[in-house]
Amino acid sequence: MQIIFKIVNFFVKIQIIVFFVCSFISCEKPVDIDLKDEGGTVSVLSFIQPDSAFKISCSKSVSILSSNNYQFVNNCKLIIYKNNRLYINLRFPDDTIMAMWNDLRFQTNDTLVLQIVENNITVATAITIIPDVIPFFNIDTTTVFRTDDLGNKTENIELAFDINNPDYGSEFFQLVIENVVTEINGEDTIFSSEIVDYSKSDLIFYKSGQGVSSLGEIDFKGLFSTNDILSNVYRIKISLPKKSLAVSENVNTTFLIVKLYHLSDDCFFYIRSRIIANYYDGVPIFDPIKIHSNVVGGLGVFCGSSCFTDTLNISN
Amino acid sequence: MFLIKQFFNKYSFLLFVFFIINGNIFSQSALDRVVQLDFTTGSTNKLLKHIEDKSGVIFSYTNKVCTYKKVVLSKSKASVKEYLDQIFVNCFVQYYELNNKIVILPIDIRDLDYNIKGFVKDSITGEVLIGANIYDINASIGSVTNDYGFYSFTTSGGEVFVGCSYIGYNSIRKAIKLTRDTIISFNLAPLPALKEIPIVGQNSYSGIRSSQTSIVDVPVNQLQNVPSFFGEMDLIKMIQLFPGVKTGTEGFSGLYVRGGGHDQNLILLDEVPVYNMEHLFGFFSVFNPDAINSVKLIKGGFPAKYGGRLSSVLDIIMLEGNKDKLNKMVSLGLLSSKLSIDGPLKNDKTTYSLSFRRTFYDLIVEPLQEKNSDNNRYYFFDLNAKVNHRFSNKSRLFISAYWGHDNLNSDYNFKSISKTIINQDYLGDDLRLSDKINAGWGNIIVSTRWNYVYNTKLFSNTTLSFTNFNFFTSQDRDYYVDDTWNTITQSYNSGIKDLMAKIDFDYFPKNSHHIKFGVNYIYHQFFPGIEIVQSDNISGEKNDTTIGGEMIDGAEIHGYIQDDFVLSSLLKVNAGVHFSSYRTGLNNYFSAEPRLSVRFLVTQRFALKSSLSFMSQYVHLLRTANISLPSDLWLPVTDKIKPMSARQVSFEGNYEFLPGFNLSAELYYKKSYNELDYFESQSFFDLSTSWSDKLTSGNTESYGLEMLVQRNIGSWSGWLGYTYSKSISVFPGLNDGNPFWANNDRRHDISMFLSHSFSQNIDANMTWSFSSGKPITLADEKYFAPELPTVPSIGSGFSENFSEKNRYRMPNYHRLDVGVNFKKNKYWGKRVWSIGVMNLYGRQNPFFLYFSDNFNENTGESNRTLNQFSLFPFPFPYIRYTIQF
């Protein structure tokens, strides 16, 4: 019996040492893999909204091992066709990655084709349609007290409103709520705004039957589609804790600006894939996410969206 | 008249039979005539004469009929036939009537066929030996034991030499006089490792002579010799050393067979599917080697008996227990400790086997962790139990069970709470409370099997079983808010439950045929993730909310028939068909899967084999990440997601070039259809899309050459395997529809296991394995990605892009492990010290790759590198102590 105790004692001591060692049993080192010398692909980013100045980012990709994140395009022209006709020929300025033309504005339902020409060679093209503004209506606002998941009893603002889904088709949206605060600082009135994180428990934001939120859940920042909505009107319900809204002694008024973006499918899938890629960023046990692109011959997105806005005063 | 003659010529035989039958009907048979005898004792001749006198019947017989000086009849009044049966009870005669005469003729028993059946067992442990050869040495007729150690074959009567052999055991030859159907059970004694087995002249009905292709009979007896991390013997890691089997990631117990996925293996423990085979996130498998009797891996040429998965069948049979004596074993290791016990229960008709294994890291660190500060605990355990009861030689019952569980829990966020908050009348110290996280996973498997031998030719096995794999997490939190004490529990459960009923028959109509047939019904319940939030506060208000995760149920029905038959002495065929069906909401999927294996015996030691098999699969695993994790979800086919299917052909040469040395080379080609993968922009954690919409389907083509040189006996034993393989996938929804290397494509794979017994007490062992790097998708360019107008603060200013899926390869993998076992017999039993070193030469094998940004403070320059993360990058020793008594 004494021998068995001795052996067990020996193993316990060894185990402590081994598990101490185990916490250091990994190592990292640079590895030499012949990565394809990628880079030089034109990348574009432009979210076109009706009646807004045309703004576009245009640059070129670099090798993944580069310490830079992009390189400039050279001698680059943007040719835009509107509704199947040549509309405008723009020169993208050198040594920059973002350009804006204040006088260049488009309307809903415009079909736009972008042709990117570098050194007189067409390197990429993209096409998009600016979607209609879809309004929401029948807004109801109530204030309720709820016990949240953390056991806190909180005062919540609950919003409900209807949106049209006339074609029963796949329309793509993003619901963004901004909290705008006006503060009086002496004689100055300061406006500030920030996007509010609201509860996305409405079934339009997630598909039932796959409750994995305890393991992890990606917040798609209010993106949704009408894929599975079978009625021509859908009532969205959301809730946001009142204390998350900016409040201070100097606050004069607090508004909620409710924005319903109607997105083209490319906008929708681009934003989604960026969010997923960001969620997995730096975790090597997941495969890299392919970020959606509608740029033929290039990367990024050239897409249209429109926005319906309404304001709610919640100061009182 | 001519017509009448023709009629009589044509039908004369029928008329003859008609009159014979009528004669028998209308007159009493002489054999049936009842006779009253005056005496019942005498010589054969005297009694026959007396019966003649009393019955009026005349006996006609020659002196070749055996006669006895004294025969005693049991009664004085009986039929003539009854008297003859008693007189010639020990003689081989036949008698028939002819014109009121009874002709008695001697029979040469060599002209008669008799059946030999029985069981083959290990003489020491009493465990059945599966795949043992039993044969009539002179007639070269034989059979192989089935999964229950049962065999049956038919041979000519007379003097018969029956041989029985099994690799690693002493062969037995028995001389018997075969005069009737006979039961012979063999108890083979295991050979000491040092002893060479006498091979010459031995017939083998498994291996070279079997029609089965692409099969690995895993040498379970070598398990304790394979060096292993922490000295933790691991069946799956041993199987990974055979050709055609790949490990997913360094150090993990994944199983990827011939380009197939992790979910394409049918893993059977005592005939019940096991859905999760991983402890400690896949570092160890759930199979306790001390509880295993035999293991068979089938990579292709699937017999019709098996169905439901595309790539492989891993058939594991648990130990039954010794019927003669009680065996006990205790084993202490660095990671876990084990206790096994087996033996007879009351009498030799009932045996049991019990094995328990548990890690004790949590028990050790518990006292070392500070009270009231964050602490973490982890443990896993598994329990194997089996009871086997023999009702009779014809009827046996097996009840087996497995229970395994991994648990990870943590206490954190300690806080002091005045007890008066909970109990207003309390005056005393504060209460220390903490939040808790608890996560775990495990399998529960129970099966009841009943074997019944109906007759010499028909054997059946009826199985009722239950299997349950469950993964859970839960979090308990305590809050004191607004003068209210709240507790919240949020839990998540996922898993799969199966209820299964099946019956299998083995039918031996004659030596040249072994027919198997059966049906199998599996009722599945899938739990794709159920969340329950429970809150409770001091005021008594309770909430219980169940979110999502609707249970999905479904049923698979399988049926099969196969015949393993001999066409000639050279040609043996196993042909069959497997049927299966699965019903979804709108579709009833049905599959008829032909199976064919052919063996051509070129010489007694060289066989050519070929096989063809069609397979289908109705369940699949939805991955959480690119490594196997217990949070992965088992899900069924749907109206949208069609069943996966595969077709495979293989050609094999099997050559025993020296006694005990076997060389096999096999070419295979496999094409899988409707395999599933995530879209390139999709994720497990995306709840805005239903799981079926995240998946896309495609096909994978795999082909390769597998070679294996193996020696299972003698002081030097082991094997060397080499695989050359390619697997290419084409998914219309991935990689722009272009072909890409499948996730587990590896070009070259070499595995070696070598064991040498220096003496009865010392053996040394080594494994070395090499594998070409596995494909990996790496981003190869990055580009400017500004903030989005509608989603601020996302990303780091750039996005990454990969040009092609699985375009790159991880560095090659290789590792050398060595170990030595020191055994010693003691007065109380036997002890074994196992010590060794893993990764002897300190190879840094890749676990995963990642990009790293580095900033040089001296130069102010930054650069980006691709880095490799390695586990166990240096020689890693292990030790284990085992006692058997």
Side-chain angles (χ1 to χ4, degrees):
Chain A
M1 208 59 179
Q2 208 174 4
I3 292 171
I4 291 173
F5 281 127
K6 275 185 181 175
I7 290 166
V8 171
N9 194 26
F10 167 76
F11 270 85
V12 167
K13 282 178 183 167
I14 292 278
Q15 274 217 13
I16 292 167
I17 294 165
V18 165
F19 278 99
F20 179 75
V21 171
C22 269
S23 53
F24 302 98
I25 57 171
S26 60
C27 81
E28 300 163 21
K29 67 169 187 179
V31 63
D32 188 22
I33 288 183
D34 189 16
L35 291 171
K36 187 190 167 198
D37 190 17
E38 288 287 352
T41 312
V42 168
S43 82
V44 172
L45 190 98
S46 181
F47 278 69
I48 306 157
Q49 295 200 7
D51 298 319
S52 296
F54 177 64
K55 189 178 175 186
I56 189 167
S57 159
C58 203
S59 58
K60 288 206 286 192
S61 69
V62 293
S63 162
I64 192 74
L65 294 178
S66 169
S67 52
N68 297 319
N69 293 338
Y70 56 84
Q71 54 183 312
F72 296 119
V73 287
N74 294 312
N75 191 18
C76 180
K77 282 192 300 187
L78 308 176
I79 303 170
I80 297 175
Y81 297 82
K82 187 170 93 173
N83 301 326
N84 297 322
R85 289 188 177 184
L86 177 63
Y87 183 65
I88 198 166
N89 196 330
L90 304 167
R91 175 167 172 82
F92 192 85
D94 289 339
D95 301 333
T96 186
I97 52 171
M98 190 74 78
M100 186 164 76
W101 288 266
N102 283 319
D103 299 332
L104 184 58
R105 290 161 192 253
F106 300 100
Q107 307 302 316
T108 56
N109 293 318
D110 279 349
T111 300
L112 304 175
V113 174
L114 172 71
Q115 188 178 342
I116 300 168
V117 178
E118 192 180 24
N119 296 321
N120 296 320
I121 298 169
T122 300
V123 290
T125 56
I127 184 169
T128 190
I129 298 173
I130 302 175
D132 279 332
V133 174
I134 303 282
F136 52 83
F137 48 94
N138 294 337
I139 304 174
D140 290 333
T141 310
T142 52
T143 302
V144 295
F145 286 89
R146 285 192 184 281
T147 304
D148 66 13
D149 284 353
L150 303 178
N152 302 307
K153 199 167 266 186
T154 56
E155 186 180 4
N156 282 358
I157 297 171
E158 297 202 337
L159 296 176
F161 50 83
D162 295 333
I163 61 163
N164 272 327
N165 181 36
D167 298 332
Y168 307 103
S170 296
E171 298 293 331
F172 302 97
F173 296 92
Q174 186 177 13
L175 179 66
V176 176
I177 298 179
E178 274 183 45
N179 180 204
V180 179
V181 175
T182 58
E183 288 181 84
I184 297 167
N185 189 358
E187 293 181 352
D188 299 329
T189 302
I190 301 166
F191 289 87
S192 62
S193 77
E194 65 174 10
I195 290 178
V196 179
D197 187 15
Y198 57 89
S199 157
K200 298 173 186 71
S201 55
D202 192 292
L203 280 176
I204 204 160
F205 296 112
Y206 77 97
K207 294 284 177 289
S208 61
Q210 40 179 9
V212 294
S213 63
S214 293
L215 303 182
E217 178 186 0
I218 299 173
D219 179 1
F220 283 105
K221 312 291 181 188
L223 287 171
F224 66 90
S225 81
T226 55
N227 256 343
D228 300 328
I229 298 175
L230 299 176
S231 59
N232 56 3
V233 175
Y234 183 81
R235 190 161 186 80
I236 298 178
K237 293 174 186 167
I238 60 168
S239 155
L240 58 158
K242 196 166 182 180
K243 74 175 184 182
S244 69
L245 306 179
V247 178
S248 74
E249 288 178 0
N250 299 323
V251 166
N252 187 26
T253 53
T254 298
F255 295 97
L256 286 182
I257 299 178
V258 182
K259 294 179 176 176
L260 182 66
Y261 289 95
H262 185 199
L263 306 172
S264 64
D265 56 347
D266 289 316
C267 274
F268 179 83
F269 289 115
Y270 176 80
I271 298 170
R272 268 180 59 87
S273 54
R274 282 265 312 257
I275 291 172
I276 297 174
N278 187 51
Y279 186 81
Y280 283 161
D281 189 31
V283 189
I285 61 167
F286 299 108
D287 288 328
I289 294 294
K290 192 85 171 176
I291 292 177
H292 178 81
S293 175
N294 67 338
V295 182
V296 178
L299 298 163
V301 72
F302 173 75
C303 64
S305 67
S306 60
C307 183
F308 179 80
T309 304
D310 203 348
T311 305
L312 301 171
N313 188 336
I314 57 165
S315 300
N316 300 320
Chain B
M1 183 57 93
F2 175 74
L3 288 173
I4 294 171
K5 269 188 177 176
Q6 259 202 336
F7 176 83
F8 270 91
N9 286 340
K10 201 168 183 180
Y11 298 106
S12 57
F13 172 73
L14 290 176
L15 288 171
F16 172 76
V17 172
F18 174 80
F19 286 121
I20 291 289
I21 290 170
N22 274 336
N24 281 336
I25 289 171
F26 298 118
S27 65
Q28 190 187 25
S29 159
L31 281 166
D32 294 334
R33 206 166 292 168
V34 177
V35 184
Q36 175 77 48
L37 299 184
D38 297 336
F39 55 90
T40 56
T41 303
S43 68
T44 302
N45 292 332
K46 186 178 176 184
L47 285 172
L48 287 175
K49 182 73 177 67
H50 184 55
I51 294 168
E52 278 181 343
D53 294 343
K54 290 289 182 182
S55 64
V57 174
I58 298 166
F59 294 119
S60 172
Y61 57 98
T62 68
N63 57 3
K64 288 185 178 173
V65 173
C66 62
T67 55
Y68 296 94
K69 286 183 177 173
K70 186 180 179 185
V71 176
V72 180
L73 300 175
S74 61
K75 48 191 176 183
S76 59
K77 189 176 181 182
S79 69
V80 173
K81 184 173 182 307
E82 279 179 275
Y83 284 133
L84 289 176
D85 286 346
Q86 288 189 31
I87 291 167
F88 295 109
V89 66
N90 292 319
C91 298
F92 292 93
V93 295
Q94 56 181 335
Y95 22 85
Y96 60 92
E97 285 183 60
L98 190 66
N99 299 330
N100 205 35
K101 266 187 185 175
I102 294 176
V103 181
I104 302 169
L105 290 174
I107 299 172
D108 186 345
I109 58 168
R110 287 171 298 184
D111 294 338
L112 295 180
D113 284 344
Y114 295 99
N115 179 271
I116 303 175
K117 67 178 179 184
F119 293 86
V120 180
K121 295 184 178 181
D122 181 310
S123 64
I124 295 175
T125 65
E127 295 296 327
V128 298
L129 299 177
I130 299 163
N133 301 295
I134 307 94
Y135 43 91
D136 177 341
I137 292 167
N138 294 329
S140 289
I141 293 168
S143 182
V144 179
T145 52
N146 68 8
D147 287 350
Y148 298 90
F150 177 80
Y151 73 92
S152 172
F153 71 96
T154 304
T155 191
S156 303
E159 294 289 332
V160 175
F161 290 94
V162 183
C164 179
S165 67
Y166 189 68
I167 288 178
Y169 285 77
N170 270 315
S171 299
I172 289 181
R173 294 181 182 196
K174 284 186 180 177
I176 58 166
K177 188 171 184 183
L178 190 61
T179 57
R180 60 173 67 93
D181 290 346
T182 304
I183 296 171
I184 308 176
S185 287
F186 292 92
N187 291 309
L188 302 187
L191 279 169
L194 290 169
K195 190 169 179 183
E196 305 286 334
I197 192 169
I199 296 287
V200 181
Q202 178 181 303
N203 287 308
S204 168
Y205 290 86
S206 57
I208 287 175
R209 287 183 169 241
S210 163
S211 58
Q212 175 75 58
T213 64
S214 314
I215 189 167
V216 177
D217 278 315
V218 181
V220 177
N221 58 341
Q222 293 277 25
L223 246 172
Q224 70 165 354
N225 296 337
V226 177
S228 52
F229 279 108
F230 300 100
E232 204 61 37
M233 293 181 275
D234 195 314
L235 173 67
I236 300 299
K237 292 210 173 77
M238 183 187 194
I239 291 171
Q240 287 170 351
L241 294 171
F242 284 94
V245 184
K246 311 265 190 284
T247 167
T249 310
E250 152 76 348
F252 277 67
S253 288
L255 207 57
Y256 298 87
V257 179
R258 291 185 173 174
H262 183 59
D263 58 350
Q264 294 177 2
N265 308 305
L266 178 64
I267 298 162
L268 299 171
L269 184 64
D270 272 356
E271 305 197 23
V272 188
V274 180
Y275 283 99
N276 175 68
M277 57 169 196
E278 290 158 355
H279 279 314
L280 195 55
F281 298 97
F283 279 103
F284 301 99
S285 72
V286 299
F287 307 109
N288 182 350
D290 298 339
I292 294 172
N293 178 1
S294 76
V295 180
K296 191 165 58 180
L297 175 72
I298 306 172
K299 302 176 286 182
F302 301 97
K305 176 183 175 184
Y306 298 106
R309 298 290 188 281
L310 300 191
S311 289
S312 79
V313 176
L314 182 62
D315 199 352
I316 302 168
I317 306 292
M318 280 163 55
L319 287 173
E320 288 175 11
N322 195 316
K323 72 178 175 62
D324 297 320
K325 62 170 186 169
L326 188 66
N327 293 318
K328 288 160 278 182
M329 194 182 80
V330 176
S331 183
L332 296 170
L334 295 175
L335 184 75
S336 76
S337 293
K338 299 185 284 187
L339 172 69
S340 297
I341 183 165
D342 70 276
L345 244 160
K346 286 190 176 177
N347 52 46
D348 66 352
K349 287 192 168 182
T350 308
T351 61
Y352 72 96
S353 160
L354 197 66
S355 298
F356 180 72
R357 171 171 69 159
R358 193 190 190 280
T359 57
F360 47 100
Y361 169 70
D362 57 322
L363 305 178
I364 294 166
V365 298
E366 181 77 32
L368 303 176
Q369 293 187 342
E370 272 186 49
K371 282 188 178 175
N372 300 333
S373 67
D374 293 3
N375 56 63
N376 307 300
R377 290 170 295 273
Y378 169 81
Y379 67 87
F380 74 71
F381 71 82
D382 45 49
L383 173 71
N384 294 73
K386 190 166 179 177
V387 178
N388 154 37
H389 179 72
R390 184 164 55 86
F391 295 107
S392 68
N393 281 335
K394 289 187 165 187
S395 175
R396 293 177 83 188
L397 182 73
F398 302 87
I399 298 173
S400 9
Y402 167 86
W403 179 26
H405 184 72
D406 284 61
N407 189 281
L408 180 66
N409 60 67
S410 175
D411 294 336
Y412 65 103
N413 196 17
F414 279 85
K415 43 198 172 272
S416 283
I417 304 293
S418 168
K419 286 188 180 176
T420 53
I421 292 171
I422 301 170
N423 182 351
Q424 298 291 337
D425 302 326
Y426 180 83
L427 292 171
D429 297 337
D430 286 355
L431 189 68
R432 294 286 294 169
L433 289 177
S434 68
D435 297 341
K436 294 177 181 62
I437 286 181
N438 194 17
W441 62 94
N443 297 288
I444 295 176
I445 295 167
V446 181
S447 78
T448 304
R449 290 172 296 150
W450 177 52
N451 286 182
Y452 189 72
V453 183
Y454 292 89
N455 52 47
T456 56
K457 294 181 174 176
L458 189 63
F459 173 94
S460 79
N461 176 52
T462 308
T463 307
L464 290 172
S465 66
F466 167 77
T467 179
N468 177 24
F469 166 64
N470 174 251
F471 169 77
F472 73 91
T473 64
S474 74
Q475 189 175 20
D476 297 338
R477 287 167 292 179
D478 302 308
Y479 289 91
Y480 181 66
V481 179
D482 299 334
D483 296 330
T484 308
W485 184 255
N486 300 296
T487 59
I488 303 285
T489 301
Q490 187 170 4
S491 60
Y492 165 85
N493 277 278
S494 69
I496 180 171
K497 277 183 195 170
D498 280 1
L499 282 169
M500 189 173 79
K502 69 172 187 145
I503 184 161
D504 303 287
F505 291 94
D506 283 40
Y507 179 52
F508 306 87
K510 45 187 172 178
N511 278 338
S512 55
H513 290 266
H514 180 182
I515 296 170
K516 293 185 178 187
F517 56 97
V519 289
N520 184 8
Y521 175 85
I522 307 169
Y523 173 68
H524 296 290
Q525 284 185 321
F526 302 89
F527 299 89
I530 293 174
E531 295 202 55
I532 300 170
V533 179
Q534 292 172 307
S535 63
D536 190 1
N537 63 33
I538 198 76
S539 65
E541 184 187 336
K542 290 188 177 184
N543 289 313
D544 193 333
T545 315
T546 301
I547 306 166
E550 293 136 12
M551 189 194 78
I552 305 167
D553 58 359
E556 280 183 61
I557 299 171
H558 295 261
Y560 70 90
I561 182 162
Q562 70 176 61
D563 186 9
D564 197 40
F565 59 98
V566 178
L567 278 178
S568 72
S569 59
L570 303 180
L571 203 58
K572 193 175 183 191
V573 177
N574 187 317
V577 62
H578 186 101
F579 302 98
S580 62
S581 78
Y582 189 97
R583 185 164 182 78
T584 60
L586 298 174
N587 291 312
N588 190 13
Y589 294 115
F590 175 78
S591 169
E593 301 153 18
R595 314 282 173 82
L596 180 70
S597 298
V598 180
R599 181 226 61 195
F600 181 73
L601 205 58
V602 180
T603 69
Q604 291 301 308
R605 308 223 168 268
F606 178 45
L608 292 173
K609 300 180 183 184
S610 180
S611 70
L612 166 75
S613 55
F614 287 48
M615 304 293 280
S616 61
Q617 181 167 339
Y618 301 101
V619 294
H620 57 264
L621 198 61
L622 191 67
R623 290 183 296 116
T624 320
N626 56 20
I627 57 171
S628 171
L629 292 174
S631 52
D632 297 349
L633 295 179
W634 281 98
L635 290 165
V637 291
T638 64
D639 292 325
K640 203 185 280 186
I641 293 178
K642 293 186 168 54
M644 296 189 276
S645 61
R647 294 168 189 182
Q648 187 177 172
V649 288
S650 66
F651 303 93
E652 181 181 337
N654 212 317
Y655 180 42
E656 192 176 15
F657 58 96
L658 283 172
F661 283 91
N662 195 281
L663 168 67
S664 69
E666 187 170 359
L667 283 166
Y668 70 89
Y669 172 83
K670 181 167 84 169
K671 186 154 188 182
S672 307
Y673 302 87
N674 295 325
E675 289 199 325
L676 297 173
D677 205 342
Y678 283 106
F679 281 109
E680 285 161 340
S681 299
Q682 278 295 0
S683 147
F684 179 85
F685 300 101
D686 168 10
L687 303 190
S688 68
T689 314
S690 66
W691 59 266
S692 57
D693 288 336
K694 294 172 197 168
L695 302 173
T696 180
S697 63
N699 304 335
T700 297
E701 239 179 342
S702 305
Y703 54 90
L705 168 69
E706 294 168 3
M707 299 178 76
L708 179 69
V709 185
Q710 193 170 12
R711 192 182 197 225
N712 281 335
I713 53 160
S715 59
W716 285 95
S717 60
W719 62 86
L720 172 65
Y722 168 74
T723 308
Y724 174 87
S725 63
K726 277 189 178 179
S727 293
I728 301 157
S729 296
V730 180
F731 283 60
L734 298 179
N735 207 40
D736 297 326
N738 297 317
F740 58 91
W741 298 118
N743 290 334
N744 293 292
D745 171 70
R746 297 204 187 204
R747 197 66 62 247
H748 303 280
D749 190 282
I750 304 169
S751 307
M752 182 166 70
F753 166 68
L754 202 56
S755 176
H756 180 64
S757 293
F758 293 98
S759 69
Q760 296 284 358
N761 295 331
I762 301 175
D763 58 68
N765 310 283
M766 63 153 281
T767 60
W768 183 75
S769 50
F770 169 88
S771 212
S772 304
K774 66 177 279 193
I776 182 172
T777 305
L778 287 174
D780 36 25
E781 64 183 328
K782 57 180 177 173
Y783 58 100
F784 180 59
E787 281 197 352
L788 299 171
T790 60
V791 188
S793 310
I794 177 173
S796 46
F798 66 89
S799 293
E800 296 180 347
N801 182 53
F802 59 89
S803 54
E804 201 177 311
K805 187 174 170 63
N806 286 344
R807 175 180 187 154
Y808 299 102
R809 298 258 169 193
M810 281 198 171
N812 293 337
Y813 165 93
H814 52 92
R815 198 180 76 202
L816 175 67
D817 307 326
V818 294
V820 185
N821 293 318
F822 297 98
K823 303 166 191 169
K824 195 166 188 180
N825 289 321
K826 299 276 191 178
Y827 67 93
W828 40 260
K830 183 181 174 185
R831 68 107 175 106
V832 182
W833 278 103
S834 304
I835 59 170
V837 181
M838 304 297 288
N839 197 8
L840 186 68
Y841 53 78
R843 163 75 179 174
Q844 294 184 17
N845 287 306
F847 183 62
F848 58 74
L849 306 183
Y850 66 99
F851 292 104
S852 169
D853 292 304
N854 314 299
F855 181 72
N856 187 327
E857 289 183 358
N858 297 326
T859 62
E861 291 176 349
S862 64
N863 71 334
R864 209 154 196 254
T865 52
L866 179 61
N867 285 9
Q868 155 185 308
F869 180 88
S870 305
L871 281 176
F872 311 111
F874 45 76
F876 195 76
Y878 72 85
I879 186 166
R880 174 169 281 279
Y881 181 74
T882 305
I883 53 174
Q884 294 168 306
F885 51 102

